[in-house]
Amino acid sequence: MGDKVTALDVAERAGVSRSAVSRVFTPGASVSKGTAAKVRRAADALGYRPNVLARSLITGRSRIVGLVVAYLENQFYPEAMERLSRELQDRGYHVLVFMASNSGAEADEVMEELLDYQVDGIIAASVGMSNDLTRRCEAAGIPIVLFNRAQDDDRLSAVTSDNYHGGRKLAEFLVAGGHSRIAHIAGWDGASTQRDREAGFVAGLKAAGQSLVARQAANFDFEQAKTITREMFCGPDRPDAVFVANDHMAFAVMDVLRFELGLSVPSDVSVVGYDDVTLSAWPSYDLTTVRQPAGQMVTATIDILMDRLADPDTKPRRVALDGPLVLRGSARIPKGWTS
C-alpha cells in the first residue's frame, strides 16, 4: 500500500499553497474558480480525499447536524427527512440520524449520544427536549431547532405548520358540509401538534354551535386508529364525519370504515386528515386534508439553525407556516367550496 496522499502533495502538484487546498475543501470558504479547478484536478489525479475528522479538530466544527426523529411509519417524516438531508448537504453539512420515542428518558438518552458525536447542531423532529438537556446543549453552544413540534421553552426554536388554524379550517369545512355528528380521532396528547390541531378544530365547532360527539386518542398509531374506528362507528348513532389527527391514521380509519364496517366514504362518513402526504392523493384514498408546507418548514428550520451557528447570540425563533386545505373525495364538499 502506498503512502497516504496529503494536502501538501496536492498543493505541490497544483502549484498553490497548502492553505488554498484547505479552502477548496472547506464549504463556504472563499477561493477563485481557477484555483479550485486546479486543486480538484490535482486531487483527482493523486486520489486525495480531505480528512474531515482531522479538520473538525482544528476548526472546532464537525459540520455534522444530528437529526432525531420519532416516527418513520408516518409518511410525512421520510419525505421531510429527505428534504432536510438534501438541503443540509447543499449547505455543506452531513446528517447523523437517530431514532427516539416520545419517552422523555429515551429522547434524552439519544440526545446524550448525539453530544458525544460533537455535532454542530440538532434538529429534533417531533421529539421533545428535557429542561436539563436543553441547558446542557445551550452551555455547549449546540443550537437546537424543533421541527413539527413546539415546547413551552423560550430557549428552543421551533418550526411547525399553523396547526391551530389548520384544525379550525377543517371544522369550518365539515360544518359547511352539513355534518352535525362530528368526531375526532386524536394523535398523542403529549404532542403540541395534536394539542393545537384539536384546539383549533374544537374552536371552529364551537363557533358554529357544535361540539365533538366522540373523541379518542390513537397516539399516531395505525393499529390503534383501526381499533378506535371499530368502536366509534359500530352503533346506530355513529358520527357522520371524523377529523383524524394525521393522514397516516386516516388511511387506517378509511380502511376499517369501507372494508370492515361496509360504510361509504363520504356518503355515510366524511373523513379528513392532516399532512397531505403523497399517499393522500392516490385514488384509493383521495383524502381531504390540510397540507403541511414541508418545503417551507425545512428551509425555515435550516435557516434558523444556520443563523444560530453563525451567531450564537441570535435569539430563538418560533415559526408557524400556513398550510392550505386540500379538497378531495373523502369528504362531502360544500357548495361553492374550491381548493
Side-chain angles (χ1 to χ4, degrees), residues 267-326:
S267 297
D268 295 320
V269 183
S270 285
V271 180
V272 296
Y274 206 110
D275 281 342
D276 194 31
V277 300
T278 301
L279 196 58
S280 300
W282 287 17
S284 53
Y285 291 109
D286 198 28
L287 179 65
T288 291
T289 184
V290 171
R291 176 179 297 154
Q292 293 222 71
Q296 295 175 56
M297 290 168 65
V298 163
T299 298
T301 298
I302 296 176
D303 283 346
I304 291 171
L305 186 66
M306 295 299 111
D307 288 346
R308 300 214 63 199
L309 285 171
D311 181 4
D313 293 328
T314 302
K315 292 188 178 299
R317 290 163 51 198
R318 298 293 178 95
V319 176
L321 296 161
D322 184 49
L325 175 61
V326 181

Side-chain angles (χ1 to χ4, degrees), residues 85-234:
S85 297
R86 288 186 182 279
E87 190 157 340
L88 282 165
Q89 287 171 356
D90 288 344
R91 301 197 194 197
Y93 284 80
H94 302 283
V95 179
L96 194 60
V97 179
F98 280 76
M99 296 297 301
S101 72
N102 279 315
S103 159
E106 183 178 330
D108 273 13
E109 188 177 323
V110 169
M111 298 290 186
E112 292 268 9
E113 194 170 344
L114 267 177
L115 297 182
D116 292 341
Y117 280 89
Q118 304 294 311
V119 296
D120 288 346
I122 295 173
I123 296 172
S126 280
V127 176
M129 297 281 294
S130 72
N131 287 333
D132 179 60
L133 198 56
T134 301
R135 281 194 296 270
R136 289 189 55 198
C137 289
E138 191 176 41
I142 299 173
I144 304 161
V145 184
L146 304 180
F147 178 84
N148 201 35
R149 177 69 61 85
Q151 283 184 217
D152 296 326
D153 188 332
D154 293 338
R155 296 167 299 178
L156 293 170
S157 294
V159 177
T160 64
S161 64
D162 191 338
N163 291 292
Y164 180 89
H165 286 99
R168 185 152 187 150
K169 286 177 190 178
L170 289 168
E172 292 167 351
F173 168 77
L174 292 177
V175 170
H179 297 287
S180 59
R181 293 186 53 77
I182 301 173
H184 179 43
I185 295 180
W188 177 55
D189 286 330
S192 65
T193 48
Q194 165 58 41
R195 178 193 67 210
D196 295 344
R197 289 172 194 178
E198 183 171 1
F201 190 70
V202 169
L205 292 181
K206 184 177 180 181
Q210 292 200 40
S211 59
L212 292 173
V213 300
R215 189 265 189 200
Q216 290 193 57
N219 298 306
F220 295 124
D221 182 83
F222 193 86
E223 293 302 323
Q224 287 187 51
K226 281 186 170 183
T227 299
I228 287 171
T229 305
R230 294 181 189 111
E231 297 169 356
M232 190 178 283
F233 290 88
C234 65

